[in-house]
Amino acid sequence: CYKKAMSMDASNPNAYYFLGLAYLYNKDYTNSELYLKKAMQLDDINPDIADAYKSLKLAQSEQFMNTGINLFEKNNKWIPKER
């Protein structure tokens, strides 16, 4: 439905914003960033769009950190486990 709205009015930031939120909710951070950046280009004063982008960056940071921790734990079996 948001993609249809974008095809009807490509300058509508709300369509990009809500599609970006949907991707963020589904943890598709690549597509979320694409659409949220476009929404910010079209409306750079909307605080909701800025907040959604901050939430995206926080989620990406958390995912990156968890990936690093998992790789570290997987590759460092010599670290004693807590009892």
Side-chain angles (χ1 to χ4, degrees), residues 39-77:
M40 285 191 301
Q41 289 173 354
L42 295 170
D43 184 355
D44 62 354
I45 61 170
N46 185 330
D48 292 333
I49 297 171
D51 287 345
Y53 192 76
K54 289 175 194 172
S55 294
L56 166 67
K57 288 301 176 182
L58 182 63
Q60 287 175 319
S61 297
E62 185 177 320
Q63 182 184 47
F64 181 74
M65 183 182 66
N66 287 336
T67 299
I69 290 170
N70 290 338
L71 285 172
F72 180 81
E73 288 174 347
K74 178 182 175 184
N75 293 310
N76 289 288
K77 297 182 188 294

Side-chain angles (χ1 to χ4, degrees), residues 6 9-21 31-53 56:
M6 286 185 296
D9 181 6
S11 65
N12 180 355
N14 289 329
Y16 294 95
Y17 166 67
F18 286 113
L19 191 54
L21 282 181
N31 281 313
S32 178
E33 185 165 12
L34 176 76
Y35 288 106
L36 289 174
K37 278 185 175 181
K38 183 64 176 176
M40 285 191 301
Q41 289 173 354
L42 295 170
D43 184 355
D44 62 354
I45 61 170
N46 185 330
D48 292 333
I49 297 171
D51 287 345
Y53 192 76
L56 166 67

